[in-house]
Amino acid sequence: MAKRLDHILVVDLESTCWQGAPPRGEEGEIIEIGVCLVDVTTWERRDKRSILVRPERSRVSDFCTSLTTLTQAQVDTGCSFAEACAVLRKELKSEDRLWASYGDYDRRMVERQCSARGLRYPFGPSHLNVKSLLAVSLGLQREVGLDEALRLIGLPLEGTHHRGHDDAWNIAAVLGATLGAARKGLPV
């Protein structure tokens, strides 16, 4: 099938985390996949979603809850990681679309977790690193965090930072502003 160039699938992950090293026998794993489609004609954001993922090899720490607002009880109602990958492929056509994230953490985390679980990678080969794109577009000397990126282009942080669906929504805004300005030949 030909690559779909109608939307860019913006993804942001949240994973189990601890203030220090993980407890013995636990590892960081995906607990939320936030997604947002960006229309490449209008740069409008669409279909903001949160796919909660039930962890198999770790528990949500108090630190993780304080950062993401996600609790163990919430993620316990989520689907398996395999089911989440199937949702990405079937409902969002993730294998056929250009997908984007803010940095490479999300791409590497999905690759690592798929490899560890023996699952097919749910995305196609085309990944766009919005963090690098913005830094290059603005001529910055270094990449900046999402909150700083929004400030630099004059957009508000919407929702809760470190919630996957809200961060995907905000990343999509940065992506749309950056590519929209590039298409017009204007600075961001």
Side-chain angles (χ1 to χ4, degrees), residues 9-15 30-37 46-53 70 84 88 92 99-101 106 123 163-169 171:
L9 179 61
V10 177
V11 175
D12 185 76
L13 305 177
E14 301 304 329
S15 59
I30 297 165
I31 56 174
E32 183 185 24
I33 303 172
V35 295
C36 179
L37 289 172
R46 300 191 175 146
D47 198 24
K48 172 181 158 180
R49 297 168 75 178
S50 171
I51 304 168
L52 292 181
V53 180
L70 291 168
L88 290 169
L92 296 162
W99 74 285
S101 63
D106 301 86
F123 299 107
R163 272 304 304 267
H165 63 295
D166 288 335
D167 282 353
W169 183 256
I171 295 163

PDB file of all heavy atoms in Angstrom, residues 9-15 30-37 46-53 70 84 88 92 99-101 106 123 163-169 171:
ATOM      1  N   LEU A   9       0.641  11.326  11.948  1.00  0.00           N
ATOM      2  CA  LEU A   9       0.236  10.767  13.233  1.00  0.00           C
ATOM      3  C   LEU A   9       1.252  11.192  14.292  1.00  0.00           C
ATOM      4  O   LEU A   9       2.407  10.780  14.248  1.00  0.00           O
ATOM      5  CB  LEU A   9       0.164   9.244  13.142  1.00  0.00           C
ATOM      6  CG  LEU A   9      -0.231   8.494  14.403  1.00  0.00           C
ATOM      7  CD1 LEU A   9      -1.628   8.890  14.863  1.00  0.00           C
ATOM      8  CD2 LEU A   9      -0.142   6.993  14.176  1.00  0.00           C
ATOM      9  N   VAL A  10       0.825  12.052  15.207  1.00  0.00           N
ATOM     10  CA  VAL A  10       1.699  12.526  16.283  1.00  0.00           C
ATOM     11  C   VAL A  10       1.478  11.635  17.499  1.00  0.00           C
ATOM     12  O   VAL A  10       0.340  11.391  17.909  1.00  0.00           O
ATOM     13  CB  VAL A  10       1.409  13.998  16.629  1.00  0.00           C
ATOM     14  CG1 VAL A  10       2.275  14.460  17.795  1.00  0.00           C
ATOM     15  CG2 VAL A  10       1.642  14.880  15.407  1.00  0.00           C
ATOM     16  N   VAL A  11       2.573  11.149  18.069  1.00  0.00           N
ATOM     17  CA  VAL A  11       2.517  10.192  19.176  1.00  0.00           C
ATOM     18  C   VAL A  11       3.322  10.714  20.356  1.00  0.00           C
ATOM     19  O   VAL A  11       4.416  11.253  20.180  1.00  0.00           O
ATOM     20  CB  VAL A  11       3.088   8.821  18.723  1.00  0.00           C
ATOM     21  CG1 VAL A  11       3.162   7.841  19.878  1.00  0.00           C
ATOM     22  CG2 VAL A  11       2.269   8.253  17.569  1.00  0.00           C
ATOM     23  N   ASP A  12       2.780  10.538  21.543  1.00  0.00           N
ATOM     24  CA  ASP A  12       3.533  10.818  22.768  1.00  0.00           C
ATOM     25  C   ASP A  12       3.257   9.695  23.758  1.00  0.00           C
ATOM     26  O   ASP A  12       2.101   9.354  24.011  1.00  0.00           O
ATOM     27  CB  ASP A  12       3.151  12.157  23.387  1.00  0.00           C
ATOM     28  CG  ASP A  12       4.030  12.460  24.589  1.00  0.00           C
ATOM     29  OD1 ASP A  12       5.202  12.840  24.372  1.00  0.00           O
ATOM     30  OD2 ASP A  12       3.569  12.275  25.726  1.00  0.00           O
ATOM     31  N   LEU A  13       4.308   9.137  24.310  1.00  0.00           N
ATOM     32  CA  LEU A  13       4.190   8.032  25.259  1.00  0.00           C
ATOM     33  C   LEU A  13       4.414   8.497  26.680  1.00  0.00           C
ATOM     34  O   LEU A  13       5.197   9.413  26.930  1.00  0.00           O
ATOM     35  CB  LEU A  13       5.258   6.966  24.972  1.00  0.00           C
ATOM     36  CG  LEU A  13       5.323   6.382  23.582  1.00  0.00           C
ATOM     37  CD1 LEU A  13       6.491   5.411  23.495  1.00  0.00           C
ATOM     38  CD2 LEU A  13       4.022   5.700  23.211  1.00  0.00           C
ATOM     39  N   GLU A  14       3.753   7.821  27.587  1.00  0.00           N
ATOM     40  CA  GLU A  14       4.084   7.903  29.003  1.00  0.00           C
ATOM     41  C   GLU A  14       4.447   6.490  29.421  1.00  0.00           C
ATOM     42  O   GLU A  14       3.867   5.514  28.923  1.00  0.00           O
ATOM     43  CB  GLU A  14       2.913   8.448  29.819  1.00  0.00           C
ATOM     44  CG  GLU A  14       2.436   9.830  29.407  1.00  0.00           C
ATOM     45  CD  GLU A  14       3.498  10.912  29.409  1.00  0.00           C
ATOM     46  OE1 GLU A  14       4.444  10.843  30.228  1.00  0.00           O
ATOM     47  OE2 GLU A  14       3.394  11.834  28.583  1.00  0.00           O
ATOM     48  N   SER A  15       5.407   6.386  30.310  1.00  0.00           N
ATOM     49  CA  SER A  15       5.833   5.063  30.751  1.00  0.00           C
ATOM     50  C   SER A  15       6.054   5.059  32.256  1.00  0.00           C
ATOM     51  O   SER A  15       6.179   6.116  32.879  1.00  0.00           O
ATOM     52  CB  SER A  15       7.112   4.639  30.022  1.00  0.00           C
ATOM     53  OG  SER A  15       8.153   5.560  30.267  1.00  0.00           O
ATOM     54  N   ILE A  30       5.565   1.163  28.608  1.00  0.00           N
ATOM     55  CA  ILE A  30       4.545   2.105  28.154  1.00  0.00           C
ATOM     56  C   ILE A  30       3.244   1.901  28.912  1.00  0.00           C
ATOM     57  O   ILE A  30       2.764   0.769  29.032  1.00  0.00           O
ATOM     58  CB  ILE A  30       4.323   1.950  26.640  1.00  0.00           C
ATOM     59  CG1 ILE A  30       5.615   2.303  25.893  1.00  0.00           C
ATOM     60  CG2 ILE A  30       3.153   2.810  26.167  1.00  0.00           C
ATOM     61  CD1 ILE A  30       5.642   1.866  24.444  1.00  0.00           C
ATOM     62  N   ILE A  31       2.678   3.024  29.425  1.00  0.00           N
ATOM     63  CA  ILE A  31       1.379   2.969  30.098  1.00  0.00           C
ATOM     64  C   ILE A  31       0.335   3.858  29.420  1.00  0.00           C
ATOM     65  O   ILE A  31      -0.849   3.750  29.729  1.00  0.00           O
ATOM     66  CB  ILE A  31       1.480   3.314  31.600  1.00  0.00           C
ATOM     67  CG1 ILE A  31       2.129   4.685  31.817  1.00  0.00           C
ATOM     68  CG2 ILE A  31       2.215   2.208  32.351  1.00  0.00           C
ATOM     69  CD1 ILE A  31       2.133   5.171  33.270  1.00  0.00           C
ATOM     70  N   GLU A  32       0.770   4.725  28.525  1.00  0.00           N
ATOM     71  CA  GLU A  32      -0.176   5.533  27.760  1.00  0.00           C
ATOM     72  C   GLU A  32       0.436   5.868  26.411  1.00  0.00           C
ATOM     73  O   GLU A  32       1.601   6.231  26.317  1.00  0.00           O
ATOM     74  CB  GLU A  32      -0.525   6.840  28.473  1.00  0.00           C
ATOM     75  CG  GLU A  32      -1.555   7.662  27.716  1.00  0.00           C
ATOM     76  CD  GLU A  32      -1.851   9.032  28.339  1.00  0.00           C
ATOM     77  OE1 GLU A  32      -0.992   9.568  29.063  1.00  0.00           O
ATOM     78  OE2 GLU A  32      -2.937   9.550  28.066  1.00  0.00           O
ATOM     79  N   ILE A  33      -0.389   5.731  25.367  1.00  0.00           N
ATOM     80  CA  ILE A  33      -0.013   6.175  24.036  1.00  0.00           C
ATOM     81  C   ILE A  33      -0.991   7.286  23.674  1.00  0.00           C
ATOM     82  O   ILE A  33      -2.178   7.045  23.472  1.00  0.00           O
ATOM     83  CB  ILE A  33      -0.085   5.033  22.999  1.00  0.00           C
ATOM     84  CG1 ILE A  33       0.804   3.861  23.432  1.00  0.00           C
ATOM     85  CG2 ILE A  33       0.304   5.558  21.612  1.00  0.00           C
ATOM     86  CD1 ILE A  33       0.657   2.619  22.565  1.00  0.00           C
ATOM     87  N   GLY A  34      -0.474   8.506  23.660  1.00  0.00           N
ATOM     88  CA  GLY A  34      -1.280   9.650  23.255  1.00  0.00           C
ATOM     89  C   GLY A  34      -1.093   9.857  21.771  1.00  0.00           C
ATOM     90  O   GLY A  34       0.026   9.755  21.258  1.00  0.00           O
ATOM     91  N   VAL A  35      -2.186  10.101  21.049  1.00  0.00           N
ATOM     92  CA  VAL A  35      -2.103  10.305  19.607  1.00  0.00           C
ATOM     93  C   VAL A  35      -2.951  11.490  19.181  1.00  0.00           C
ATOM     94  O   VAL A  35      -3.948  11.827  19.808  1.00  0.00           O
ATOM     95  CB  VAL A  35      -2.531   9.043  18.816  1.00  0.00           C
ATOM     96  CG1 VAL A  35      -1.576   7.898  19.048  1.00  0.00           C
ATOM     97  CG2 VAL A  35      -3.950   8.634  19.147  1.00  0.00           C
ATOM     98  N   CYS A  36      -2.517  12.102  18.113  1.00  0.00           N
ATOM     99  CA  CYS A  36      -3.253  13.211  17.504  1.00  0.00           C
ATOM    100  C   CYS A  36      -2.910  13.216  16.022  1.00  0.00           C
ATOM    101  O   CYS A  36      -1.732  13.129  15.663  1.00  0.00           O
ATOM    102  CB  CYS A  36      -2.836  14.532  18.150  1.00  0.00           C
ATOM    103  SG  CYS A  36      -3.659  15.984  17.457  1.00  0.00           S
ATOM    104  N   LEU A  37      -3.914  13.290  15.180  1.00  0.00           N
ATOM    105  CA  LEU A  37      -3.682  13.405  13.742  1.00  0.00           C
ATOM    106  C   LEU A  37      -3.592  14.880  13.364  1.00  0.00           C
ATOM    107  O   LEU A  37      -4.354  15.702  13.870  1.00  0.00           O
ATOM    108  CB  LEU A  37      -4.823  12.755  12.966  1.00  0.00           C
ATOM    109  CG  LEU A  37      -4.880  11.237  13.013  1.00  0.00           C
ATOM    110  CD1 LEU A  37      -6.162  10.738  12.363  1.00  0.00           C
ATOM    111  CD2 LEU A  37      -3.673  10.619  12.339  1.00  0.00           C
ATOM    112  N   ARG A  46      -6.564  16.850  14.845  1.00  0.00           N
ATOM    113  CA  ARG A  46      -7.783  16.050  14.896  1.00  0.00           C
ATOM    114  C   ARG A  46      -7.553  14.779  15.695  1.00  0.00           C
ATOM    115  O   ARG A  46      -6.444  14.292  15.798  1.00  0.00           O
ATOM    116  CB  ARG A  46      -8.205  15.651  13.484  1.00  0.00           C
ATOM    117  CG  ARG A  46      -8.477  16.841  12.606  1.00  0.00           C
ATOM    118  CD  ARG A  46      -9.131  16.406  11.328  1.00  0.00           C
ATOM    119  NE  ARG A  46      -9.483  17.608  10.583  1.00  0.00           N
ATOM    120  CZ  ARG A  46      -9.466  17.695   9.286  1.00  0.00           C
ATOM    121  NH1 ARG A  46      -9.158  16.657   8.571  1.00  0.00           N
ATOM    122  NH2 ARG A  46      -9.788  18.819   8.688  1.00  0.00           N
ATOM    123  N   ASP A  47      -8.623  14.239  16.188  1.00  0.00           N
ATOM    124  CA  ASP A  47      -8.639  12.901  16.776  1.00  0.00           C
ATOM    125  C   ASP A  47      -7.635  12.716  17.924  1.00  0.00           C
ATOM    126  O   ASP A  47      -6.858  11.779  17.931  1.00  0.00           O
ATOM    127  CB  ASP A  47      -8.398  11.842  15.685  1.00  0.00           C
ATOM    128  CG  ASP A  47      -8.837  10.447  16.122  1.00  0.00           C
ATOM    129  OD1 ASP A  47      -9.701  10.359  17.015  1.00  0.00           O
ATOM    130  OD2 ASP A  47      -8.317   9.462  15.592  1.00  0.00           O
ATOM    131  N   LYS A  48      -7.664  13.606  18.880  1.00  0.00           N
ATOM    132  CA  LYS A  48      -6.824  13.478  20.082  1.00  0.00           C
ATOM    133  C   LYS A  48      -7.327  12.295  20.896  1.00  0.00           C
ATOM    134  O   LYS A  48      -8.500  12.222  21.236  1.00  0.00           O
ATOM    135  CB  LYS A  48      -6.924  14.775  20.886  1.00  0.00           C
ATOM    136  CG  LYS A  48      -6.273  14.744  22.232  1.00  0.00           C
ATOM    137  CD  LYS A  48      -6.475  16.104  22.903  1.00  0.00           C
ATOM    138  CE  LYS A  48      -6.358  16.035  24.381  1.00  0.00           C
ATOM    139  NZ  LYS A  48      -6.547  17.338  25.017  1.00  0.00           N
ATOM    140  N   ARG A  49      -6.440  11.349  21.178  1.00  0.00           N
ATOM    141  CA  ARG A  49      -6.836  10.139  21.893  1.00  0.00           C
ATOM    142  C   ARG A  49      -5.781   9.698  22.888  1.00  0.00           C
ATOM    143  O   ARG A  49      -4.604   9.943  22.721  1.00  0.00           O
ATOM    144  CB  ARG A  49      -7.039   8.989  20.903  1.00  0.00           C
ATOM    145  CG  ARG A  49      -8.139   9.252  19.925  1.00  0.00           C
ATOM    146  CD  ARG A  49      -8.132   8.275  18.801  1.00  0.00           C
ATOM    147  NE  ARG A  49      -8.634   6.969  19.210  1.00  0.00           N
ATOM    148  CZ  ARG A  49      -8.760   5.962  18.372  1.00  0.00           C
ATOM    149  NH1 ARG A  49      -8.443   6.114  17.110  1.00  0.00           N
ATOM    150  NH2 ARG A  49      -9.215   4.816  18.782  1.00  0.00           N
ATOM    151  N   SER A  50      -6.254   8.984  23.884  1.00  0.00           N
ATOM    152  CA  SER A  50      -5.382   8.361  24.871  1.00  0.00           C
ATOM    153  C   SER A  50      -5.668   6.869  24.854  1.00  0.00           C
ATOM    154  O   SER A  50      -6.810   6.454  25.042  1.00  0.00           O
ATOM    155  CB  SER A  50      -5.670   8.926  26.268  1.00  0.00           C
ATOM    156  OG  SER A  50      -4.978   8.181  27.247  1.00  0.00           O
ATOM    157  N   ILE A  51      -4.635   6.088  24.618  1.00  0.00           N
ATOM    158  CA  ILE A  51      -4.745   4.633  24.699  1.00  0.00           C
ATOM    159  C   ILE A  51      -3.994   4.214  25.957  1.00  0.00           C
ATOM    160  O   ILE A  51      -2.758   4.287  26.005  1.00  0.00           O
ATOM    161  CB  ILE A  51      -4.143   3.947  23.461  1.00  0.00           C
ATOM    162  CG1 ILE A  51      -4.798   4.459  22.185  1.00  0.00           C
ATOM    163  CG2 ILE A  51      -4.272   2.427  23.578  1.00  0.00           C
ATOM    164  CD1 ILE A  51      -4.082   4.060  20.901  1.00  0.00           C
ATOM    165  N   LEU A  52      -4.738   3.843  26.995  1.00  0.00           N
ATOM    166  CA  LEU A  52      -4.099   3.388  28.224  1.00  0.00           C
ATOM    167  C   LEU A  52      -3.631   1.951  28.032  1.00  0.00           C
ATOM    168  O   LEU A  52      -4.335   1.124  27.456  1.00  0.00           O
ATOM    169  CB  LEU A  52      -5.057   3.480  29.410  1.00  0.00           C
ATOM    170  CG  LEU A  52      -5.438   4.891  29.840  1.00  0.00           C
ATOM    171  CD1 LEU A  52      -6.371   4.842  31.058  1.00  0.00           C
ATOM    172  CD2 LEU A  52      -4.208   5.727  30.159  1.00  0.00           C
ATOM    173  N   VAL A  53      -2.423   1.690  28.533  1.00  0.00           N
ATOM    174  CA  VAL A  53      -1.800   0.382  28.364  1.00  0.00           C
ATOM    175  C   VAL A  53      -1.494  -0.197  29.739  1.00  0.00           C
ATOM    176  O   VAL A  53      -0.832   0.445  30.562  1.00  0.00           O
ATOM    177  CB  VAL A  53      -0.504   0.495  27.527  1.00  0.00           C
ATOM    178  CG1 VAL A  53       0.138  -0.867  27.343  1.00  0.00           C
ATOM    179  CG2 VAL A  53      -0.789   1.156  26.181  1.00  0.00           C
ATOM    180  N   LEU A  70      -1.359   9.657  36.072  1.00  0.00           N
ATOM    181  CA  LEU A  70      -1.894   8.307  35.872  1.00  0.00           C
ATOM    182  C   LEU A  70      -1.665   7.466  37.120  1.00  0.00           C
ATOM    183  O   LEU A  70      -0.582   7.491  37.709  1.00  0.00           O
ATOM    184  CB  LEU A  70      -1.236   7.634  34.671  1.00  0.00           C
ATOM    185  CG  LEU A  70      -1.587   8.226  33.322  1.00  0.00           C
ATOM    186  CD1 LEU A  70      -0.661   7.687  32.234  1.00  0.00           C
ATOM    187  CD2 LEU A  70      -3.044   7.927  32.983  1.00  0.00           C
ATOM    188  N   ALA A  84      -2.838  -2.417  22.032  1.00  0.00           N
ATOM    189  CA  ALA A  84      -2.610  -1.009  21.697  1.00  0.00           C
ATOM    190  C   ALA A  84      -1.944  -0.887  20.326  1.00  0.00           C
ATOM    191  O   ALA A  84      -2.319  -0.023  19.529  1.00  0.00           O
ATOM    192  CB  ALA A  84      -1.751  -0.341  22.767  1.00  0.00           C
ATOM    193  N   LEU A  88      -3.387   1.040  16.901  1.00  0.00           N
ATOM    194  CA  LEU A  88      -2.611   1.979  16.079  1.00  0.00           C
ATOM    195  C   LEU A  88      -2.641   1.570  14.616  1.00  0.00           C
ATOM    196  O   LEU A  88      -2.880   2.394  13.733  1.00  0.00           O
ATOM    197  CB  LEU A  88      -1.162   2.057  16.572  1.00  0.00           C
ATOM    198  CG  LEU A  88      -0.944   2.731  17.921  1.00  0.00           C
ATOM    199  CD1 LEU A  88       0.488   2.492  18.405  1.00  0.00           C
ATOM    200  CD2 LEU A  88      -1.232   4.218  17.836  1.00  0.00           C
ATOM    201  N   LEU A  92      -5.751   3.808  13.190  1.00  0.00           N
ATOM    202  CA  LEU A  92      -5.012   5.024  12.831  1.00  0.00           C
ATOM    203  C   LEU A  92      -4.074   4.833  11.640  1.00  0.00           C
ATOM    204  O   LEU A  92      -3.376   5.759  11.250  1.00  0.00           O
ATOM    205  CB  LEU A  92      -4.239   5.539  14.051  1.00  0.00           C
ATOM    206  CG  LEU A  92      -5.157   5.971  15.195  1.00  0.00           C
ATOM    207  CD1 LEU A  92      -4.412   6.057  16.511  1.00  0.00           C
ATOM    208  CD2 LEU A  92      -5.815   7.299  14.866  1.00  0.00           C
ATOM    209  N   TRP A  99       4.822   9.328  10.891  1.00  0.00           N
ATOM    210  CA  TRP A  99       4.479   9.582  12.285  1.00  0.00           C
ATOM    211  C   TRP A  99       5.559  10.442  12.905  1.00  0.00           C
ATOM    212  O   TRP A  99       6.696  10.489  12.439  1.00  0.00           O
ATOM    213  CB  TRP A  99       4.232   8.277  13.034  1.00  0.00           C
ATOM    214  CG  TRP A  99       5.434   7.456  13.387  1.00  0.00           C
ATOM    215  CD1 TRP A  99       6.177   6.683  12.543  1.00  0.00           C
ATOM    216  CD2 TRP A  99       6.018   7.312  14.679  1.00  0.00           C
ATOM    217  NE1 TRP A  99       7.183   6.077  13.234  1.00  0.00           N
ATOM    218  CE2 TRP A  99       7.107   6.442  14.550  1.00  0.00           C
ATOM    219  CE3 TRP A  99       5.724   7.842  15.935  1.00  0.00           C
ATOM    220  CZ2 TRP A  99       7.905   6.072  15.631  1.00  0.00           C
ATOM    221  CZ3 TRP A  99       6.521   7.479  17.011  1.00  0.00           C
ATOM    222  CH2 TRP A  99       7.593   6.615  16.847  1.00  0.00           C
ATOM    223  N   ALA A 100       5.166  11.162  13.950  1.00  0.00           N
ATOM    224  CA  ALA A 100       6.065  12.135  14.565  1.00  0.00           C
ATOM    225  C   ALA A 100       5.998  12.022  16.080  1.00  0.00           C
ATOM    226  O   ALA A 100       4.975  11.636  16.647  1.00  0.00           O
ATOM    227  CB  ALA A 100       5.667  13.550  14.145  1.00  0.00           C
ATOM    228  N   SER A 101       7.095  12.373  16.704  1.00  0.00           N
ATOM    229  CA  SER A 101       7.138  12.464  18.161  1.00  0.00           C
ATOM    230  C   SER A 101       8.114  13.579  18.520  1.00  0.00           C
ATOM    231  O   SER A 101       8.851  14.070  17.666  1.00  0.00           O
ATOM    232  CB  SER A 101       7.577  11.139  18.795  1.00  0.00           C
ATOM    233  OG  SER A 101       8.892  10.795  18.397  1.00  0.00           O
ATOM    234  N   ASP A 106      10.353   8.253  22.213  1.00  0.00           N
ATOM    235  CA  ASP A 106       9.135   7.494  21.929  1.00  0.00           C
ATOM    236  C   ASP A 106       9.403   6.401  20.891  1.00  0.00           C
ATOM    237  O   ASP A 106       8.970   5.261  21.056  1.00  0.00           O
ATOM    238  CB  ASP A 106       8.019   8.428  21.458  1.00  0.00           C
ATOM    239  CG  ASP A 106       7.711   9.492  22.500  1.00  0.00           C
ATOM    240  OD1 ASP A 106       8.391  10.539  22.501  1.00  0.00           O
ATOM    241  OD2 ASP A 106       6.823   9.267  23.320  1.00  0.00           O
ATOM    242  N   PHE A 123       4.514   0.948  13.548  1.00  0.00           N
ATOM    243  CA  PHE A 123       4.689   2.123  12.705  1.00  0.00           C
ATOM    244  C   PHE A 123       5.469   1.778  11.445  1.00  0.00           C
ATOM    245  O   PHE A 123       6.222   0.811  11.409  1.00  0.00           O
ATOM    246  CB  PHE A 123       5.435   3.235  13.466  1.00  0.00           C
ATOM    247  CG  PHE A 123       4.723   3.712  14.689  1.00  0.00           C
ATOM    248  CD1 PHE A 123       5.174   3.381  15.950  1.00  0.00           C
ATOM    249  CD2 PHE A 123       3.575   4.485  14.583  1.00  0.00           C
ATOM    250  CE1 PHE A 123       4.506   3.816  17.090  1.00  0.00           C
ATOM    251  CE2 PHE A 123       2.895   4.916  15.711  1.00  0.00           C
ATOM    252  CZ  PHE A 123       3.366   4.582  16.966  1.00  0.00           C
ATOM    253  N   ARG A 163       0.889  14.098  30.150  1.00  0.00           N
ATOM    254  CA  ARG A 163      -0.189  13.174  29.812  1.00  0.00           C
ATOM    255  C   ARG A 163      -0.079  12.989  28.309  1.00  0.00           C
ATOM    256  O   ARG A 163       0.001  13.965  27.556  1.00  0.00           O
ATOM    257  CB  ARG A 163      -1.573  13.731  30.167  1.00  0.00           C
ATOM    258  CG  ARG A 163      -2.035  13.451  31.559  1.00  0.00           C
ATOM    259  CD  ARG A 163      -2.063  11.970  31.964  1.00  0.00           C
ATOM    260  NE  ARG A 163      -2.852  11.091  31.096  1.00  0.00           N
ATOM    261  CZ  ARG A 163      -4.119  10.782  31.305  1.00  0.00           C
ATOM    262  NH1 ARG A 163      -4.764  11.269  32.353  1.00  0.00           N
ATOM    263  NH2 ARG A 163      -4.745   9.974  30.465  1.00  0.00           N
ATOM    264  N   GLY A 164      -0.055  11.758  27.876  1.00  0.00           N
ATOM    265  CA  GLY A 164       0.212  11.447  26.478  1.00  0.00           C
ATOM    266  C   GLY A 164      -0.681  12.151  25.482  1.00  0.00           C
ATOM    267  O   GLY A 164      -0.201  12.727  24.502  1.00  0.00           O
ATOM    268  N   HIS A 165      -1.996  12.117  25.709  1.00  0.00           N
ATOM    269  CA  HIS A 165      -2.903  12.732  24.732  1.00  0.00           C
ATOM    270  C   HIS A 165      -2.766  14.251  24.702  1.00  0.00           C
ATOM    271  O   HIS A 165      -2.850  14.865  23.635  1.00  0.00           O
ATOM    272  CB  HIS A 165      -4.354  12.303  24.976  1.00  0.00           C
ATOM    273  CG  HIS A 165      -4.922  12.721  26.290  1.00  0.00           C
ATOM    274  ND1 HIS A 165      -4.464  12.253  27.499  1.00  0.00           N
ATOM    275  CD2 HIS A 165      -5.929  13.568  26.579  1.00  0.00           C
ATOM    276  CE1 HIS A 165      -5.159  12.799  28.475  1.00  0.00           C
ATOM    277  NE2 HIS A 165      -6.051  13.603  27.948  1.00  0.00           N
ATOM    278  N   ASP A 166      -2.522  14.880  25.855  1.00  0.00           N
ATOM    279  CA  ASP A 166      -2.326  16.335  25.879  1.00  0.00           C
ATOM    280  C   ASP A 166      -0.992  16.720  25.256  1.00  0.00           C
ATOM    281  O   ASP A 166      -0.896  17.698  24.507  1.00  0.00           O
ATOM    282  CB  ASP A 166      -2.424  16.871  27.305  1.00  0.00           C
ATOM    283  CG  ASP A 166      -3.842  16.849  27.848  1.00  0.00           C
ATOM    284  OD1 ASP A 166      -4.808  16.874  27.050  1.00  0.00           O
ATOM    285  OD2 ASP A 166      -3.996  16.806  29.087  1.00  0.00           O
ATOM    286  N   ASP A 167       0.053  15.956  25.556  1.00  0.00           N
ATOM    287  CA  ASP A 167       1.354  16.257  24.952  1.00  0.00           C
ATOM    288  C   ASP A 167       1.318  16.032  23.442  1.00  0.00           C
ATOM    289  O   ASP A 167       1.885  16.822  22.681  1.00  0.00           O
ATOM    290  CB  ASP A 167       2.469  15.443  25.602  1.00  0.00           C
ATOM    291  CG  ASP A 167       2.906  16.009  26.946  1.00  0.00           C
ATOM    292  OD1 ASP A 167       2.449  17.109  27.313  1.00  0.00           O
ATOM    293  OD2 ASP A 167       3.715  15.348  27.626  1.00  0.00           O
ATOM    294  N   ALA A 168       0.636  14.979  22.981  1.00  0.00           N
ATOM    295  CA  ALA A 168       0.511  14.758  21.534  1.00  0.00           C
ATOM    296  C   ALA A 168      -0.201  15.943  20.881  1.00  0.00           C
ATOM    297  O   ALA A 168       0.185  16.407  19.799  1.00  0.00           O
ATOM    298  CB  ALA A 168      -0.240  13.453  21.257  1.00  0.00           C
ATOM    299  N   TRP A 169      -1.234  16.457  21.534  1.00  0.00           N
ATOM    300  CA  TRP A 169      -1.979  17.625  21.046  1.00  0.00           C
ATOM    301  C   TRP A 169      -1.054  18.844  20.927  1.00  0.00           C
ATOM    302  O   TRP A 169      -1.071  19.563  19.930  1.00  0.00           O
ATOM    303  CB  TRP A 169      -3.134  17.889  22.003  1.00  0.00           C
ATOM    304  CG  TRP A 169      -4.045  19.005  21.631  1.00  0.00           C
ATOM    305  CD1 TRP A 169      -4.094  20.252  22.188  1.00  0.00           C
ATOM    306  CD2 TRP A 169      -5.088  18.994  20.640  1.00  0.00           C
ATOM    307  NE1 TRP A 169      -5.089  21.008  21.607  1.00  0.00           N
ATOM    308  CE2 TRP A 169      -5.713  20.253  20.653  1.00  0.00           C
ATOM    309  CE3 TRP A 169      -5.548  18.029  19.743  1.00  0.00           C
ATOM    310  CZ2 TRP A 169      -6.770  20.580  19.805  1.00  0.00           C
ATOM    311  CZ3 TRP A 169      -6.596  18.349  18.901  1.00  0.00           C
ATOM    312  CH2 TRP A 169      -7.195  19.610  18.934  1.00  0.00           C
ATOM    313  N   ILE A 171       2.332  18.807  20.814  1.00  0.00           N
ATOM    314  CA  ILE A 171       3.365  18.518  19.809  1.00  0.00           C
ATOM    315  C   ILE A 171       2.796  18.764  18.415  1.00  0.00           C
ATOM    316  O   ILE A 171       3.463  19.332  17.551  1.00  0.00           O
ATOM    317  CB  ILE A 171       3.885  17.068  19.943  1.00  0.00           C
ATOM    318  CG1 ILE A 171       4.614  16.879  21.279  1.00  0.00           C
ATOM    319  CG2 ILE A 171       4.800  16.700  18.773  1.00  0.00           C
ATOM    320  CD1 ILE A 171       4.801  15.421  21.679  1.00  0.00           C
TER     321      ILE A 171
END
